[in-house]
Amino acid sequence: MSFDAALDALNLELPPAPKAMGLYKPAVTVGNLVYLSGHGPLSPDGTLQLGKVGVDVDQEVGYAAARQTGLAMLATLKAHLGSLDKIKRLVKTFGMVNCQDSFTQQPAVINGFSELMKEVFGEDCGIAARSAIGVNALPAGMTVEVEAIFELKD
């Protein structure tokens, strides 16, 4: 099954492709790699999901925000490439969780993103190298931010 077909089969609603919140491009292709700038949990209505994990929201809400961030990233990929079928695999993920100092379950939160990528791109192409860290603040107060690198097909 193609990646576009997998996305359709999952019946997922993508938000509009996010616009840059500063002086940068949401996606840049260099050679056979697509570098995606940090994305946040953009909802289909254009609003960001906000809150600090462990203070304003719990781990499950953080997980859902990371999954929504993945949907925003898929929207950017489709806008940038025209089709997810141009992707060979996810190479690297860097996830940041807006959380209180004592919160230590950042990997469990970022699993929301990673599990979505596995659903869309499959076991072989959707699981990547990954880092997940906690930060004291993110732009606009969003709950998570994720950046990623994808490899394109030859």
Side-chain angles (χ1 to χ4, degrees):
M1 179 182 301
S2 78
F3 298 144
D4 282 327
L7 182 65
D8 290 342
L10 291 166
N11 199 28
L12 298 170
E13 181 181 6
L14 297 181
K19 304 287 189 256
M21 294 173 61
L23 187 58
Y24 65 90
K25 294 182 179 186
V28 174
T29 300
V30 177
N32 69 335
L33 297 175
V34 177
Y35 295 82
L36 290 171
S37 295
H39 280 61
L42 185 67
S43 299
D45 67 3
T47 61
L48 282 171
Q49 296 175 15
L50 309 177
K52 185 178 285 286
V53 178
V55 176
D56 308 309
V57 299
D58 63 19
Q59 182 176 317
E60 291 75 26
V61 171
Y63 174 95
R67 184 175 176 87
Q68 189 62 42
T69 299
L71 294 172
M73 196 168 280
L74 293 173
T76 293
L77 285 167
K78 284 186 72 76
H80 184 71
L81 300 172
S83 170
L84 296 180
D85 293 329
K86 293 182 180 178
I87 294 169
K88 183 174 182 180
R89 67 164 296 115
L90 174 60
V91 176
K92 172 71 171 140
T93 300
F94 179 65
M96 295 161 274
V97 179
N98 181 1
C99 60
Q100 68 179 7
D101 291 346
S102 62
F103 184 78
T104 60
Q105 297 302 309
Q106 293 86 0
V109 171
I110 298 302
N111 277 346
F113 174 88
S114 297
E115 290 173 9
L116 174 67
M117 294 301 117
K118 179 183 169 190
E119 290 173 24
V120 173
F121 297 108
E123 185 98 16
D124 292 334
C125 301
I127 299 175
R130 187 184 87 172
S131 300
I133 66 167
V135 297
N136 69 345
L138 286 170
M142 61 189 178
T143 307
V144 299
E145 182 174 354
V146 177
E147 60 182 54
I149 302 169
F150 288 83
E151 181 182 12
L152 296 174
K153 292 178 181 172
D154 295 328

